[in-house]
Amino acid sequence: MHSGKVEICGVNTAHLPILKGEEKRTLLELIQNGDPKTRDEAREKYIFGNLRLVLSIIQRFTHRGENADDIFQVGCVGLIKAIDNFDTSHGVQFSTYAVPMIVGEIRRYLRDNNAIRVSRSLRDVAYRALGVKEKLIAANAKEPDIEDIAREMGLPKEEVLFALDAIQDPVSLFEPVFQDGADSLFVMDQVSDEKNTDVRWLDNLSLSEALKRLGEREKSIVSMRFFDGKTQMEVADEIGISQAQVSRLEKNALKNMKKYIS
């Protein structure tokens, strides 16, 4: 997807209108209370005046390599749903209500076209949960938490959460999550590495120093036993001594190494 694309789905994005606050309120009033002809005209104008919102949202999905026109059209479906279900009596900004609707529509499209398959039962629970979520957003003009969704569905919270997690889209480790000028913070920067910690590095350094204190035969035995995974019999055959000698030398080497490992 090219985020700098000027024309998308035949729409010149460089010349999209920006609706002012009073104009938005007037159009919403006509959409909800006008006669059929006036309502349709106001709805079309309001959709066109909010296409910039759709454009800003689809930038979140640029790393997926999806066709920009397809994602934009799906986002427009979410926008139209938001316009048709928006209730001005809740006193919230339209964008506050519309953004999760647009994002949800795009994510649903990406899930349906995802190569990763999830069991039918899990998908059914997840899609029901998403439907309930949209219903609660429409009713309360705010995003419900998982407890609200589970309560509405009559299911345990854990079951709903598991189903929703199962249909989440994979995220690239190189997806940016924050950008400050030229510096970007990627997902991989927020993933801990439990293997290459400072403590592990110090342990490896101590082990390396302890190995240096051993004689060549002891060092060879320790290396074959604990780095190559060979048995004492295999080590004995390789260096030409008995298994009992290997066992004695191994114990002596480990005893000496403990003196240098804190």
Side-chain angles (χ1 to χ4, degrees):
M1 180 187 292
H2 303 291
S3 57
K5 190 173 181 179
V6 174
E7 187 166 306
I8 184 167
C9 292
V11 177
N12 189 331
T13 59
H15 297 114
L16 287 175
I18 300 176
L19 298 177
K20 301 203 180 289
E22 185 59 38
E23 192 175 8
K24 289 179 182 179
R25 286 189 289 272
T26 300
L27 288 173
L28 282 172
E29 178 67 26
L30 291 172
I31 290 170
Q32 296 185 358
N33 301 308
D35 60 73
K37 184 174 183 300
T38 304
R39 184 167 56 245
D40 290 344
E41 290 175 353
R43 184 170 176 269
E44 183 176 347
K45 188 172 182 180
Y46 200 76
I47 292 171
F48 200 63
N50 279 280
L51 291 182
R52 287 181 182 272
L53 179 62
V54 178
L55 283 174
S56 68
I57 291 171
I58 67 174
Q59 303 308 310
R60 305 181 190 183
F61 304 92
T62 56
H63 66 282
R64 300 175 183 273
E66 298 286 341
N67 182 278
D69 290 353
D70 292 343
I71 298 296
F72 181 72
Q73 289 182 60
V74 174
C76 288
V77 171
L79 172 64
I80 293 169
K81 286 184 178 180
I83 292 172
D84 291 343
N85 291 284
F86 184 58
D87 187 347
T88 56
S89 66
H90 289 297
V92 298
Q93 292 288 330
F94 172 73
S95 59
T96 302
Y97 176 77
V99 168
M101 295 281 281
I102 297 169
V103 170
E105 198 69 31
I106 295 173
R107 284 180 174 164
R108 186 158 41 247
Y109 166 80
L110 293 173
R111 280 194 299 269
D112 290 342
N113 290 275
N114 198 336
I116 298 176
R117 296 300 173 200
V118 179
S119 72
R120 181 62 181 270
S121 60
L122 273 179
R123 288 172 67 89
D124 287 346
V125 172
Y127 287 143
R128 279 178 56 207
L130 292 173
V132 169
K133 180 179 179 180
E134 289 186 6
K135 174 185 169 184
L136 292 174
I137 290 174
N140 304 315
K142 67 176 184 178
E143 188 115 358
D145 56 31
I146 195 69
E147 286 86 359
D148 295 330
I149 297 172
R151 192 182 308 113
E152 185 75 14
M153 295 175 68
L155 293 174
K157 176 184 71 174
E158 293 75 17
E159 184 176 340
V160 176
L161 187 61
F162 182 73
L164 289 172
D165 284 344
I167 62 170
Q168 288 299 310
D169 302 313
V171 177
S172 169
L173 287 174
F174 298 97
E175 179 178 351
V177 294
F178 175 77
Q179 188 162 4
D180 182 12
D183 299 322
S184 294
L185 181 67
F186 298 94
V187 170
M188 67 181 300
D189 297 323
Q190 297 182 315
V191 178
S192 62
D193 184 351
E194 297 181 358
K195 292 184 177 180
N196 297 312
T197 61
D198 289 343
V199 173
R200 187 63 172 268
W201 179 79
L202 289 172
D203 287 345
N204 288 339
L205 184 61
S206 298
L207 180 60
S208 178
E209 288 299 316
L211 281 169
K212 290 179 181 179
R213 308 282 181 170
L214 300 178
E216 287 304 316
R217 176 175 280 188
E218 289 179 328
K219 190 186 298 183
S220 178
I221 289 172
V222 169
S223 177
M224 285 188 284
R225 285 281 290 126
F226 300 103
F227 292 95
D228 298 338
K230 294 183 178 180
T231 66
Q232 288 185 347
M233 286 298 297
E234 289 173 328
V235 173
D237 289 341
E238 187 161 331
I239 63 178
I241 60 176
S242 69
Q243 183 268 332
Q245 287 177 297
V246 170
S247 178
R248 186 173 63 253
L249 287 168
E250 178 184 312
K251 289 178 181 178
N252 188 57
L254 294 176
K255 181 179 178 181
N256 288 332
M257 289 176 67
K258 285 181 180 178
K259 298 176 184 178
Y260 304 100
I261 299 177
S262 55

